[in-house]
Amino acid sequence: MVEKILAKSVRLMFVGGVAVTAFAQTAMAQEAAQAVQRVEVTGSSLKRVDSETALPVTVVTKTEIDRLGVTSTQELLSTITAIASAGSTTNAAGAGNSTGGLSSISLRGIGDARTLVLVNGRRLATFANGGGAVNINVIPLAAIERVEVLKDGASGIYGSDAMAGVVNFILKKKYEGIEVSSQLGSPTNSGGGQNGRASIVAGFDNDNGLNGVISGSYEKAKALFGKDRAYANTATRIPFYSSGATGQGNIQGGWTVGGGMDQATGGSGIGNPLAATNQCGTIGMSKLTKSGGKIPYCAYDSGPDVGLTPDRELLSVSGSLNYKVNANVELFADGLFSRSKVTQTYQASPARSDFFDGDSLFDAQKVEKALLIYPTNPVYNSIAVPYLNSIGKGALIGQPLAITARVKDFGPRSGVDTADQYRMLIGAKGTIADQDYEVAYATNQSKLTSAVTSGYFSQVGYAKAINDVNSNWNPWAPGGVQNPALTSAIQAAKFSGDYLTQTSKNNTFDAKITGELLKLGESTWQYAAGVQSTKESINFNPSAAYQAGDIAGLGGAVVPLDKSRTVNSLFGELNIPLLKNLDGNLSARSDRYNDVGNTTNYKANFRYQPTKEILFRTSYGSGFRAPTLNDLWYPQTVGSSGQFNDNGPGGSGQTNIQIGNETTGGNPNLQPEKSKQFSVGVVLQPTNNLSLGADFFRIRISNYISAPSEQEVVDGYRRGDPAYKGLVTIDAGNNITAMKVVTANAGTADVQGLDVFANWKDKFAFGGMNVNFNGTYMHKFDQTSPGGVLYGKVGTLVNDVSGVATPVVGAKDGGVIMRWKHQVAVTWSRDVWESTIVQNFSSGYRTPNNLNGDPNYISAFQTFDLNVKYKGIKNATLSAGLKNIFDRHPDTFIPASNQFQSGYDIYQYDPNGRFVYVAATYKFK
C-alpha cells in the first residue's frame, strides 16, 4: 500500500495498530481542500479511499516497532495477538530438529503453510525445505516500514495458502537522504544471548520523475545454552520429567552375528553395570531405573548442553526504483537479497542398534547393525559377566552384547544452515482510458545449504571401528578414554561439511486493471480484474552419505527430489454501494493446477455505517490449499523417531522412547484442503479520542493435511483403535520397534474466536497520552485425528482419550492455542521525550501429565517492557529499553513435541529473560 495523501487520515484509521477503517471522516473533512486519492489495501485488488475498507487489518508501523524494542522479525510478529505459536516454527526449534533455520508464522494457529506471507504485496518463494512456509528470518527488521496483517481468509483474492489470512511486509519504498541506525542488547543474566543490528537507508526523489531507495542491514545474535539458566540446566526434574536420552554403556541384549538381536535372551531391558553400582557419573551420565525400578540404566542429561537459542546472523540488501515516464505511465522495480546463517549447537550424537536400521551402508559393507563387545574383550569378563549374573541374565554370557553409546569423540553437534532469499521484480503501472493498470514479473528463490562442523560421524564407520574384535572397546571407561589405536580408528569416521542443498523457486507474471465500472446517481461501482501465472519448483540434493542415512544425529535418510507445478489464475473483484451507508464487495478467483486439479473460490463482505460513530462489517468466503510438492511427492523413508511414552494401558511402561525405525514421507493421493470463513464485527467511536471494536471469526477446514504424532499413534494403537493398527510394530517383549507416520488428509478443523481492540489518546498539561489495546480470545479449535478422534486444542496440549492424556493433533510440532492473549501499550510524550510501557499477557494451559500421571498446568503469564526515546539532538533519535522488566521465569513445562530444551516452552518464553538494549538513529538530510 502506497500512501500518497491523507497521512492524518491514515493515522486515525490505524487505531491501536488495528485498521478501524471507518472514522477517518473527521480528518478527511479537515483536508477537504486536498484531492482525494485511492490506494490499495491488503485484502483487496481495488484502489479505494482509505476509510472505505471493511476488513479487519492489524497494522504495525515503524514507530510502533521501535517502541517494542524487538530484535528480529520473528520477535516482532510474536507480539501480534492473532498470531499463535501453534503451527509455527521458531529459531529455537532447530536444536535437535531439521528445521533448516526456519522461522515461520501461523495465524489463528492453523499452520504456517495456511498463512500467506507477502513482501510489498507479492509472494516470496516458500522456504527451501518444501514445507510450504515462508522463512521470516530473511526479512530484515530494519527495512520494514510497516506490517499489515489481514485477519480474514483471502483465497478469493490471493489463491492458495491464504486460508487463515495474510501478513504483508511493506519495505521502505520512498526516502530522501541517508539514515543510519544501530541497536545493541544483552540479557541481564549471565551467559550468551547478546545481539545487535546496524542498518543504512539511502534514497532520492528528483524532479525528473525518478526516485529510489536502497537499504542494507546486518543482524547478529549469540547463542544461549541450558547451562546458563537454572530452569533449563537439567533434563531431569522430578516429578515433571526424567532424562531418558540414550546413555553410554547400556546393554541392549545378546547379539547373533549375521542374525541380529537375540530377542529370546535379550531385548531392551538389560540395564548398565555402572548404574548397578551408582557409577554412572564416571562416564558423564546419570542413573535411571526402568521396569518398575528394577533395572538400572545410565541416561544422558542433555539439559546443560542444549542450545536454548541459536547463533544467528542476517545480512540483507533491499531496494526499489520508480520512474514516472509521464502522467499515465510509471515503471518500477524492486529487489531483495538476504543471507541468514543459523548455527545450532547441542548434545553429542547417540548410537545404538535400532538407529542403524535405516542405514543402507551396513548391509552394503556387511557390518553388524549394533555396537558390540565380544567375549574376548577383557571388559566382557571383568564387568559384563558379573553384572549379567547379578540380574539373572546369565543365559547371555558367551554371546556378543549390543551396547548403546553417547558418542562424545567428535564433540557436541553443531550445524550451520545458510538460507539465501532472492527476489527481483519489474513492472509498469499507470492509467489508460481512465482505468488503472499494473503489469509485473517477479522471480523468487529460496536456497538452503545445510552443513555440519562437529559432533557428526558415519554410523557404519564408527560401528566398523568399534566392532573390530581387536578394538577392545570399553563402553564403561572413565571419561570415555579408549586405547590409542581405537581412538585413531574412531576419528576416521568423522563427518563434516555440506550434506544437503535445497532450493525453492517461484516465478510469477501478473496483470490487472481496476477502475470505475459505472455510476448510478451518487454511487460508483468499482471493479478489478486480472490474470496470474506461476511456476513453482523444489529441488532436494542430499550428499551420498545423507541419502544412505549414515550420518549419526541427522535423523535418517533423505532422498533427492525434483518436482515442479504450474498454476494459472483468473481473478476479479466488484465493489457496489448498495445504499448511501451500505457497501457490498464480491471477489472471486479461479486457479488451475497442472497436478491437483482446478478450484474456484470467492469472498463476499459488507460494510454498514448508520452513523459516524458506529460501523458494522461482515464477510463470508471459501478457501483452498493445494498440497505442497513435498507433501505429494517426497518418498517415504526410514529414520529416527521423535520421543514418545509407552506407559499407558497395555504399554511397555517406558517413557522418553526414541526408535530408529520410523517411516515418514509424502503421499501422492493427498487431496486439497478446503475451507469456509465467516467474520462479523463492530467498530465504535463514542468520542473523538476513543475507538474500540470487536470481530468474531470462524474458519472450518476439511481434508486437513497433517501427519500424526508418534504419541498419537502409540496411544491409538494401545487402545485398539483400528485406524492405528498397522502403524506400529512390537517385539516379543511388547516393546515398540517400528512405526509409520506419513502425511494424510487427516480430518477437519473448526476454529472460532474474537479479536478485540481499543485506542484512547488525549493531550494534557503533562504531555500526550496514548493507550493501545489488542486481544484475541479463542473460543474453539476442534480438530479430528486420522482415527476420527475429536481433539479440543484451546488451552491444552493434551486431551483425555480413553483415560490417557493424549497429545492433541499438531502438538508434536510445538506451540499451543492460547485461550486469551493481549497486549497493552501506554505511551507518554512531551517535547523531545517519549516513553512506552507494554504489558504482554497470555492465559495458562495444560501440558502432558507428569511422571506420577498427574495433570500439569502452566499458569497465566505476563511480562512488562519499557522503552524511552529522546529526540533532543537534531536529526538524531536515541532510545533505551528493558524487556521483561521483572525478569519473570517460566513454570516447569512438560513438552508434547520433540523439543530438546528442558524446563520451559520454547514457543512461549524467551530464555533471555530480562533484556536491556540501547539504540540510535541519525538522518543526513
Side-chain angles (χ1 to χ4, degrees):
M1 187 173 75
V2 179
E3 296 180 77
K4 298 179 179 179
I5 297 182
L6 302 179
K8 190 180 297 184
S9 170
V10 173
R11 295 286 74 75
L12 271 177
M13 183 183 70
F14 296 149
V15 172
V18 177
V20 178
T21 74
F23 302 115
Q25 285 87 348
T26 301
M28 291 171 63
Q30 294 171 349
E31 307 292 341
Q34 301 184 26
V36 176
Q37 296 194 24
R38 299 178 183 270
V39 295
E40 189 174 321
V41 181
T42 299
S44 174
S45 296
L46 293 172
K47 291 185 176 182
R48 60 184 74 207
V49 175
D50 294 336
S51 63
E52 291 179 4
T53 183
L55 296 174
V57 180
T58 293
V59 178
V60 183
T61 66
K62 179 66 174 175
T63 298
E64 291 168 326
I65 294 172
D66 292 340
R67 288 172 180 169
L68 293 172
V70 294
T71 58
S72 67
T73 304
Q74 172 188 293
E75 187 180 359
L76 166 64
L77 293 175
S78 70
T79 67
I80 298 173
T81 61
I83 293 177
S85 60
S88 67
T89 300
T90 69
N91 288 324
N97 295 287
S98 299
T99 66
L102 170 67
S103 178
S104 63
I105 50 179
S106 173
L107 276 167
R108 311 301 189 195
I110 67 173
D112 50 17
R114 300 171 187 86
T115 299
L116 178 60
V117 175
L118 307 175
V119 171
N120 293 336
R122 286 184 167 85
R123 292 173 179 258
L124 284 177
T126 56
F127 191 52
N129 70 351
V134 168
N135 184 16
I136 60 172
N137 266 341
V138 300
I139 300 174
L141 184 65
I144 298 173
E145 186 66 27
R146 66 183 180 279
V147 183
E148 300 175 359
V149 182
L150 172 62
K151 300 178 292 184
D152 204 4
S155 289
I157 297 293
Y158 298 106
S160 186
D161 310 340
M163 277 186 167
V166 181
V167 179
N168 189 7
F169 294 90
I170 309 299
L171 307 186
K172 288 184 173 68
K173 300 179 73 175
K174 282 192 175 182
Y175 192 80
E176 290 188 71
I178 300 174
E179 177 183 292
V180 294
S181 63
S182 65
Q183 179 172 311
L184 294 173
S186 175
T188 59
N189 297 297
S190 61
Q194 298 82 11
N195 62 46
R197 59 184 170 91
S199 65
I200 182 169
V201 179
F204 66 92
D205 190 353
N206 63 31
D207 297 331
N208 298 320
L210 183 67
N211 67 76
V213 61
I214 187 169
S215 66
S217 66
Y218 176 75
E219 301 175 14
K220 169 71 174 177
K222 293 184 178 181
L224 179 70
F225 290 90
K227 63 184 179 182
D228 299 322
R229 296 293 181 264
Y231 51 80
N233 64 5
T234 178
T236 297
R237 200 176 301 274
I238 306 298
F240 300 102
Y241 45 80
S242 177
S243 175
T246 301
Q248 177 71 27
N250 296 319
I251 303 174
Q252 291 186 273
W255 188 269
T256 302
V257 174
M261 190 78 72
D262 185 348
Q263 296 294 340
T265 57
S268 60
I270 311 302
N272 192 308
L274 296 186
T277 55
N278 296 313
Q279 297 183 70
C280 290
T282 63
I283 55 173
M285 303 291 128
S286 56
K287 185 176 179 179
L288 175 70
T289 56
K290 296 182 180 180
S291 300
K294 297 178 181 179
I295 301 178
Y297 286 81
C298 287
Y300 174 61
D301 187 348
S302 60
D305 302 328
V306 176
L308 306 185
T309 59
D311 187 279
R312 186 181 68 89
E313 289 184 83
L314 176 65
L315 179 65
S316 66
V317 179
S318 62
S320 65
L321 188 66
N322 295 269
Y323 177 59
K324 192 170 185 178
V325 178
N326 55 47
N328 296 318
V329 179
E330 183 176 343
L331 306 178
F332 61 90
D334 71 42
L336 168 69
F337 175 79
S338 290
R339 170 165 289 179
S340 167
K341 280 191 174 184
V342 177
T343 301
Q344 300 280 2
T345 302
Y346 47 101
Q347 64 265 32
S349 296
R352 65 182 197 228
S353 63
D354 49 322
F355 283 8
F356 304 155
D357 287 342
D359 190 336
S360 61
L361 294 186
F362 277 83
D363 290 335
Q365 298 184 24
K366 294 181 171 53
V367 177
E368 296 296 318
K369 291 184 178 180
L371 302 178
L372 303 176
I373 60 170
Y374 297 92
T376 56
N377 189 323
V379 299
Y380 188 100
N381 293 296
S382 63
I383 297 178
V385 169
Y387 172 71
L388 293 174
N389 283 324
S390 71
I391 62 170
K393 292 288 185 178
L396 289 174
I397 297 172
Q399 296 185 59
L401 298 176
I403 310 293
T404 68
R406 177 61 60 167
V407 184
K408 298 184 178 182
D409 304 81
F410 309 99
R413 278 177 280 183
S414 184
V416 181
D417 293 302
T418 302
D420 291 339
Q421 188 87 29
Y422 164 85
R423 186 176 89 163
M424 285 296 297
L425 170 76
I426 57 172
K429 60 184 177 180
T431 303
I432 183 170
D434 293 327
Q435 308 299 298
D436 296 328
Y437 70 87
E438 184 171 320
V439 181
Y441 176 78
T443 178
N444 291 272
Q445 177 176 289
S446 170
K447 181 179 180 181
L448 173 65
T449 302
S450 297
V452 295
T453 56
S454 69
Y456 294 87
F457 57 93
S458 162
Q459 293 182 142
V460 71
Y462 184 76
K464 191 182 296 184
I466 295 296
N467 293 349
D468 185 331
V469 293
N470 297 315
S471 72
N472 288 332
W473 176 48
N474 181 1
W476 306 292
V481 178
Q482 304 295 328
N483 64 73
L486 178 57
T487 299
S488 178
I490 286 174
Q491 287 304 311
K494 181 178 180 179
F495 178 85
S496 63
D498 296 351
Y499 65 89
L500 177 64
T501 300
Q502 298 171 289
T503 304
S504 167
K505 295 182 179 180
N506 180 304
N507 296 322
T508 301
F509 169 81
D510 62 70
K512 67 179 178 181
I513 186 167
T514 67
E516 297 179 355
L517 184 63
L518 57 87
K519 287 189 176 182
L520 295 176
E522 297 182 356
S523 299
T524 301
W525 290 30
Q526 291 179 272
Y527 79 97
V531 297
Q532 187 177 81
S533 181
T534 300
K535 182 175 182 180
E536 59 180 91
S537 64
I538 58 172
N539 179 275
F540 297 172
N541 185 21
S543 69
Y546 200 21
Q547 290 185 51
D550 186 48
I551 308 304
L554 289 182
V558 169
V559 297
L561 183 66
D562 190 359
K563 292 290 182 178
S564 64
R565 68 159 48 125
T566 300
V567 188
N568 294 315
S569 309
L570 297 172
F571 58 90
E573 185 175 355
L574 185 64
N575 192 78
I576 304 173
L578 301 173
L579 299 171
K580 184 178 180 180
N581 52 12
L582 175 63
D583 283 355
N585 182 282
L586 178 65
S587 61
R589 181 182 176 106
S590 177
D591 296 298
R592 295 180 175 271
Y593 288 76
N594 70 338
D595 57 355
V596 294
N598 306 326
T599 181
T600 299
N601 296 282
Y602 62 88
K603 187 179 186 69
N605 61 72
F606 296 90
R607 169 190 175 278
Y608 176 57
Q609 188 174 358
T611 70
K612 67 178 184 179
E613 293 86 11
I614 186 169
L615 175 144
F616 298 98
R617 58 190 178 196
T618 186
S619 70
Y620 183 83
S622 64
F624 169 90
R625 188 178 82 87
T628 67
L629 294 169
N630 193 46
D631 288 337
L632 287 168
W633 305 117
Y634 189 78
Q636 295 183 8
T637 58
V638 176
S640 300
S641 74
Q643 289 188 347
F644 59 91
N645 298 326
D646 190 24
N647 56 348
S652 65
Q654 299 180 64
T655 60
N656 297 320
I657 308 166
Q658 187 178 22
I659 60 175
N661 191 348
E662 179 181 77
T663 301
T664 60
N667 181 353
N669 298 316
L670 288 174
Q671 298 298 309
E673 296 178 345
K674 296 182 179 180
S675 69
K676 301 290 188 197
Q677 303 96 27
F678 169 73
S679 69
V680 61
V682 60
V683 184
L684 306 173
Q685 189 181 18
T687 67
N688 288 334
N689 57 1
L690 175 63
S691 298
L692 63 159
D695 287 284
F696 169 82
F697 59 87
R698 183 178 187 183
I699 305 170
R700 291 175 295 168
I701 303 174
S702 59
N703 286 336
Y704 204 103
I705 297 172
S706 67
S709 69
E710 290 90 351
Q711 194 63 61
E712 179 189 337
V713 170
V714 170
D715 291 345
Y717 174 80
R718 291 303 191 188
R719 67 172 178 265
D721 191 325
Y724 301 94
K725 182 178 180 180
L727 302 182
V728 173
T729 301
I730 60 174
D731 63 16
N734 197 33
N735 302 294
I736 294 174
T737 59
M739 193 181 307
K740 188 173 183 179
V741 180
V742 298
T743 306
N745 291 110
T748 62
D750 187 356
V751 183
Q752 298 179 32
L754 186 73
D755 292 319
V756 294
F757 50 88
N759 171 266
W760 172 83
K761 58 183 176 181
D762 210 337
K763 291 184 177 180
F764 303 92
F766 58 83
M769 294 293 295
N770 192 328
V771 180
N772 296 330
F773 169 84
N774 290 281
T776 297
Y777 175 82
M778 294 296 291
H779 171 65
K780 176 192 288 189
F781 196 128
D782 289 350
Q783 187 172 350
T784 55
S785 71
V789 177
L790 181 66
Y791 289 90
K793 298 172 61 174
V794 178
T796 185
L797 293 174
V798 295
N799 280 182
D800 290 317
V801 180
S802 300
V804 177
T806 300
V808 300
V809 179
K812 72 181 182 68
D813 299 316
V816 64
I817 306 295
M818 294 293 189
R819 176 71 68 182
W820 171 255
K821 181 180 178 182
H822 78 244
Q823 183 185 77
V824 180
V826 180
T827 300
W828 165 86
S829 60
R830 181 175 181 177
D831 299 328
V832 297
W833 289 97
E834 179 184 281
S835 180
T836 300
I837 188 165
V838 178
Q839 181 208 29
N840 306 286
F841 178 89
S842 57
S843 58
Y845 56 99
R846 182 183 173 184
T847 78
N849 292 353
N850 65 22
L851 299 176
N852 296 329
D854 300 323
N856 186 64
Y857 294 91
I858 303 298
S859 59
F861 191 80
Q862 66 177 346
T863 60
F864 291 88
D865 306 330
L866 174 68
N867 176 272
V868 178
K869 187 178 296 183
Y870 175 71
K871 295 183 177 181
I873 302 173
K874 185 178 180 180
N875 297 330
T877 301
L878 306 177
S879 61
L882 276 174
K883 291 187 291 184
N884 193 355
I885 297 173
F886 303 109
D887 199 23
R888 283 288 308 276
H889 289 183
D891 287 350
T892 301
F893 175 70
I894 302 173
S897 66
N898 192 38
Q899 74 168 51
F900 275 31
Q901 298 88 342
S902 301
Y904 73 104
D905 189 341
I906 64 173
Y907 285 84
Q908 301 300 332
Y909 182 75
D910 181 357
N912 283 320
R914 183 167 51 225
F915 189 89
V916 60
Y917 63 90
V918 293
T921 299
Y922 189 83
K923 298 178 180 180
F924 300 88
K925 294 293 187 179

